[in-house]
Amino acid sequence: MMQNKRIYAVTGGIGCGKTAVSDILKEEDYSVFSCDGIYAELTRGGTLVNELEKAFGGVTAADGSLDRAALSAKVFSDSSELEKLNRITHPLIMSELLTRARSAQDKIVFCEVPLLFENGFEGLFDGVIVVMRPLNQRLEAVEKRSNLTRTEVLSRINSQYDYDQNDFTKYYVVHNDGTIKDLQEKIKKILKNITKLT
Protein backbone atom coordinates (compact mmCIF):
# COMPACT_ATOMS: atom_id res chain seq x y z
CA MET A 1 0.00 0.00 0.00
CA MET A 2 1.14 3.55 -0.73
CA GLN A 3 2.85 5.28 2.21
CA ASN A 4 0.82 8.00 3.94
CA LYS A 5 -2.30 6.95 2.06
CA ARG A 6 -5.48 8.22 3.67
CA ILE A 7 -8.97 6.79 3.18
CA TYR A 8 -11.97 8.92 4.16
CA ALA A 9 -15.61 7.91 4.50
CA VAL A 10 -18.48 10.08 3.27
CA THR A 11 -21.69 9.36 5.16
CA GLY A 12 -25.09 10.79 6.11
CA GLY A 13 -28.73 9.77 6.27
CA ILE A 14 -30.98 9.01 3.32
CA GLY A 15 -31.55 12.13 1.18
CA CYS A 16 -28.71 14.15 2.76
CA GLY A 17 -26.70 14.47 -0.46
CA LYS A 18 -23.88 11.93 -0.07
CA THR A 19 -23.88 11.30 -3.81
CA ALA A 20 -23.74 15.05 -4.57
CA VAL A 21 -20.68 15.28 -2.30
CA SER A 22 -19.11 12.24 -4.00
CA ASP A 23 -19.74 13.83 -7.41
CA ILE A 24 -17.95 17.03 -6.27
CA LEU A 25 -14.99 14.97 -5.01
CA LYS A 26 -14.80 13.22 -8.41
CA GLU A 27 -14.89 16.62 -10.17
CA GLU A 28 -11.91 17.57 -7.98
CA ASP A 29 -10.09 14.48 -9.38
CA TYR A 30 -10.35 12.23 -6.32
CA SER A 31 -11.17 8.52 -6.49
CA VAL A 32 -14.51 7.72 -4.87
CA PHE A 33 -15.76 4.20 -4.17
CA SER A 34 -19.39 3.60 -3.29
CA CYS A 35 -21.02 0.94 -1.10
CA ASP A 36 -24.20 1.31 -3.14
CA GLY A 37 -22.25 0.83 -6.39
CA ILE A 38 -20.58 -2.32 -5.07
CA TYR A 39 -23.92 -3.62 -3.74
CA ALA A 40 -25.43 -3.06 -7.21
CA GLU A 41 -22.61 -5.12 -8.75
CA LEU A 42 -22.91 -7.93 -6.19
CA THR A 43 -26.69 -8.15 -6.64
CA ARG A 44 -26.61 -8.69 -10.40
CA GLY A 45 -26.49 -12.42 -9.65
CA GLY A 46 -24.35 -15.06 -8.00
CA THR A 47 -23.37 -15.84 -4.42
CA LEU A 48 -24.91 -12.86 -2.64
CA VAL A 49 -28.26 -13.18 -4.45
CA ASN A 50 -28.35 -16.90 -3.60
CA GLU A 51 -27.70 -16.12 0.07
CA LEU A 52 -30.44 -13.48 0.13
CA GLU A 53 -32.88 -15.84 -1.57
CA LYS A 54 -32.17 -18.48 1.10
CA ALA A 55 -32.62 -15.93 3.89
CA PHE A 56 -35.73 -14.10 2.65
CA GLY A 57 -37.35 -16.08 -0.21
CA GLY A 58 -38.99 -14.57 -3.29
CA VAL A 59 -36.31 -11.94 -3.86
CA THR A 60 -34.72 -13.22 -7.09
CA ALA A 61 -35.81 -11.68 -10.41
CA ALA A 62 -36.32 -13.76 -13.56
CA ASP A 63 -32.81 -12.89 -14.86
CA GLY A 64 -31.14 -14.13 -11.64
CA SER A 65 -30.47 -10.66 -10.24
CA LEU A 66 -31.85 -9.39 -6.94
CA ASP A 67 -35.43 -8.07 -6.99
CA ARG A 68 -34.62 -5.03 -4.84
CA ALA A 69 -38.25 -3.88 -4.56
CA ALA A 70 -39.33 -7.30 -3.23
CA LEU A 71 -36.48 -7.31 -0.73
CA SER A 72 -37.19 -3.74 0.42
CA ALA A 73 -40.84 -4.60 1.02
CA LYS A 74 -39.75 -7.46 3.30
CA VAL A 75 -37.12 -5.63 5.36
CA PHE A 76 -38.04 -1.95 5.76
CA SER A 77 -41.12 -2.58 7.89
CA ASP A 78 -39.39 -5.14 10.12
CA SER A 79 -36.25 -4.12 12.03
CA SER A 80 -35.18 -7.72 12.75
CA GLU A 81 -35.34 -8.56 9.01
CA LEU A 82 -33.39 -5.39 8.20
CA GLU A 83 -30.72 -6.44 10.72
CA LYS A 84 -30.56 -9.87 9.10
CA LEU A 85 -30.08 -8.26 5.66
CA ASN A 86 -27.32 -6.02 7.01
CA ARG A 87 -25.50 -8.96 8.65
CA ILE A 88 -25.40 -10.75 5.28
CA THR A 89 -24.53 -7.83 3.00
CA HIS A 90 -22.38 -5.36 4.96
CA PRO A 91 -19.26 -7.47 5.62
CA LEU A 92 -19.08 -8.45 1.93
CA ILE A 93 -19.59 -4.88 0.72
CA MET A 94 -17.07 -3.36 3.16
CA SER A 95 -14.43 -5.96 2.34
CA GLU A 96 -14.74 -5.21 -1.39
CA LEU A 97 -14.89 -1.44 -0.79
CA LEU A 98 -11.68 -1.35 1.26
CA THR A 99 -9.87 -3.68 -1.14
CA ARG A 100 -10.60 -1.27 -3.99
CA ALA A 101 -9.77 1.85 -1.93
CA ARG A 102 -6.45 0.42 -0.75
CA SER A 103 -5.40 -0.62 -4.24
CA ALA A 104 -6.22 2.78 -5.82
CA GLN A 105 -3.13 4.72 -6.93
CA ASP A 106 -4.04 7.87 -5.02
CA LYS A 107 -2.75 9.31 -1.75
CA ILE A 108 -6.27 10.38 -0.71
CA VAL A 109 -9.31 8.21 -1.46
CA PHE A 110 -12.97 8.62 -0.50
CA CYS A 111 -15.61 5.95 0.15
CA GLU A 112 -19.35 6.63 0.22
CA VAL A 113 -20.64 4.55 3.16
CA PRO A 114 -24.34 5.06 4.00
CA LEU A 115 -24.50 3.03 7.24
CA LEU A 116 -21.10 3.89 8.66
CA PHE A 117 -21.99 4.67 12.28
CA GLU A 118 -24.79 2.08 12.53
CA ASN A 119 -22.22 -0.63 11.88
CA GLY A 120 -19.30 0.86 13.80
CA PHE A 121 -17.21 1.11 10.60
CA GLU A 122 -15.91 4.64 11.32
CA GLY A 123 -12.71 3.22 12.86
CA LEU A 124 -11.75 1.67 9.51
CA PHE A 125 -11.17 5.13 8.01
CA ASP A 126 -8.64 7.92 8.55
CA GLY A 127 -11.44 10.47 8.73
CA VAL A 128 -15.15 10.96 8.06
CA ILE A 129 -17.18 13.60 6.20
CA VAL A 130 -20.71 13.70 7.65
CA VAL A 131 -23.32 15.22 5.33
CA MET A 132 -26.23 16.89 7.17
CA ARG A 133 -29.40 18.34 5.64
CA PRO A 134 -32.71 19.73 6.97
CA LEU A 135 -35.47 17.10 7.20
CA ASN A 136 -37.88 18.79 4.73
CA GLN A 137 -35.15 18.89 2.05
CA ARG A 138 -34.28 15.23 2.69
CA LEU A 139 -37.95 14.23 2.32
CA GLU A 140 -38.30 16.14 -0.96
CA ALA A 141 -35.08 14.67 -2.38
CA VAL A 142 -36.03 11.07 -1.62
CA GLU A 143 -39.66 11.50 -2.75
CA LYS A 144 -38.47 12.88 -6.10
CA ARG A 145 -35.97 10.14 -6.86
CA SER A 146 -37.74 7.06 -5.50
CA ASN A 147 -41.50 7.38 -6.08
CA LEU A 148 -42.09 6.73 -2.37
CA THR A 149 -44.79 8.54 -0.40
CA ARG A 150 -43.77 11.03 2.31
CA THR A 151 -44.89 8.50 4.96
CA GLU A 152 -42.68 5.78 3.45
CA VAL A 153 -39.70 8.14 3.29
CA LEU A 154 -40.23 9.22 6.92
CA SER A 155 -40.42 5.57 7.95
CA ARG A 156 -37.03 4.94 6.30
CA ILE A 157 -35.48 8.02 7.88
CA ASN A 158 -36.81 7.04 11.31
CA SER A 159 -35.41 3.52 10.96
CA GLN A 160 -31.91 4.97 10.44
CA TYR A 161 -29.25 6.38 12.71
CA ASP A 162 -30.29 9.72 14.23
CA TYR A 163 -27.70 12.15 12.90
CA ASP A 164 -29.29 15.13 14.68
CA GLN A 165 -28.74 13.63 18.13
CA ASN A 166 -25.06 12.71 17.80
CA ASP A 167 -21.79 14.51 18.35
CA PHE A 168 -19.63 14.77 15.23
CA THR A 169 -17.06 17.27 16.54
CA LYS A 170 -14.15 14.99 15.63
CA TYR A 171 -15.33 14.66 12.02
CA TYR A 172 -15.77 17.00 9.06
CA VAL A 173 -19.43 18.07 8.99
CA VAL A 174 -21.01 19.52 5.83
CA HIS A 175 -24.39 21.23 6.09
CA ASN A 176 -26.02 20.68 2.70
CA ASP A 177 -28.66 23.37 3.10
CA GLY A 178 -27.98 25.69 0.15
CA THR A 179 -27.20 25.51 -3.55
CA ILE A 180 -24.86 23.03 -5.24
CA LYS A 181 -22.34 25.91 -5.52
CA ASP A 182 -22.47 26.38 -1.72
CA LEU A 183 -21.86 22.66 -1.30
CA GLN A 184 -18.88 22.79 -3.68
CA GLU A 185 -17.30 25.62 -1.65
CA LYS A 186 -17.78 23.71 1.61
CA ILE A 187 -16.17 20.56 0.15
CA LYS A 188 -13.23 22.56 -1.24
CA LYS A 189 -12.58 23.94 2.28
CA ILE A 190 -12.55 20.41 3.71
CA LEU A 191 -10.22 19.23 0.93
CA LYS A 192 -7.78 22.03 1.81
CA ASN A 193 -7.69 20.76 5.40
CA ILE A 194 -7.33 17.13 4.34
CA THR A 195 -4.52 17.79 1.87
CA LYS A 196 -2.52 19.58 4.60
CA LEU A 197 -2.39 16.25 6.49
CA THR A 198 -0.70 14.22 3.72
Side-chain angles (χ1 to χ4, degrees):
M1 191 168 75
M2 190 182 290
Q3 263 192 323
N4 301 325
K5 180 171 199 152
R6 297 178 71 79
I7 302 174
Y8 291 84
V10 176
T11 196
I14 184 172
C16 278
K18 295 180 293 296
T19 303
V21 169
S22 293
D23 288 344
I24 293 165
L25 292 168
K26 287 175 195 168
E27 284 163 14
E28 295 294 318
D29 282 333
Y30 289 93
S31 289
V32 181
F33 298 92
S34 153
C35 280
D36 287 348
I38 288 167
Y39 180 62
E41 284 178 38
L42 294 175
T43 53
R44 283 186 194 134
T47 310
L48 179 59
V49 177
N50 294 340
E51 277 190 48
L52 294 173
E53 182 60 41
K54 266 187 226 154
F56 299 100
V59 296
T60 307
D63 63 357
S65 66
L66 181 70
D67 182 337
R68 293 175 82 156
L71 182 63
S72 293
K74 287 173 188 281
V75 302
F76 276 110
S77 55
D78 184 333
S79 59
S80 66
E81 290 292 274
L82 185 57
E83 278 171 32
K84 183 163 73 168
L85 171 67
N86 293 343
R87 278 196 308 273
I88 295 167
T89 57
H90 290 170
L92 283 171
I93 293 166
M94 286 305 293
S95 169
E96 183 61 29
L97 180 83
L98 290 169
T99 298
R100 292 184 191 190
R102 287 174 185 141
S103 50
Q105 296 301 303
D106 308 279
K107 274 201 162 184
I108 299 170
V109 177
F110 294 91
C111 296
E112 193 181 320
V113 186
L115 300 171
L116 184 83
F117 295 111
E118 290 91 328
N119 291 305
F121 290 146
E122 62 272 23
L124 298 173
F125 297 90
D126 296 297
V128 178
I129 297 174
V130 182
V131 188
M132 305 283 280
R133 194 178 198 182
L135 179 62
N136 62 323
Q137 291 181 23
R138 291 175 68 187
L139 287 166
E140 280 170 29
V142 181
E143 275 181 288
K144 256 187 221 167
R145 74 173 188 225
S146 63
N147 294 324
L148 295 170
T149 65
R150 184 152 286 224
T151 308
E152 287 169 326
V153 178
L154 259 177
S155 159
R156 292 195 180 190
I157 288 173
N158 291 334
S159 75
Q160 287 191 340
Y161 185 81
D162 190 346
Y163 284 84
D164 296 318
Q165 298 302 316
N166 283 279
D167 177 15
F168 297 123
T169 46
K170 63 180 179 178
Y171 304 118
Y172 297 103
V173 177
V174 180
H175 291 280
N176 179 20
D177 51 8
T179 65
I180 196 72
K181 196 167 187 314
D182 296 332
L183 188 60
Q184 284 168 334
E185 291 308 314
K186 289 172 183 178
I187 296 303
K188 282 178 184 174
K189 274 186 192 164
I190 289 172
L191 289 171
K192 269 187 190 165
N193 285 322
I194 286 173
T195 49
K196 280 179 198 163
L197 301 170
T198 51

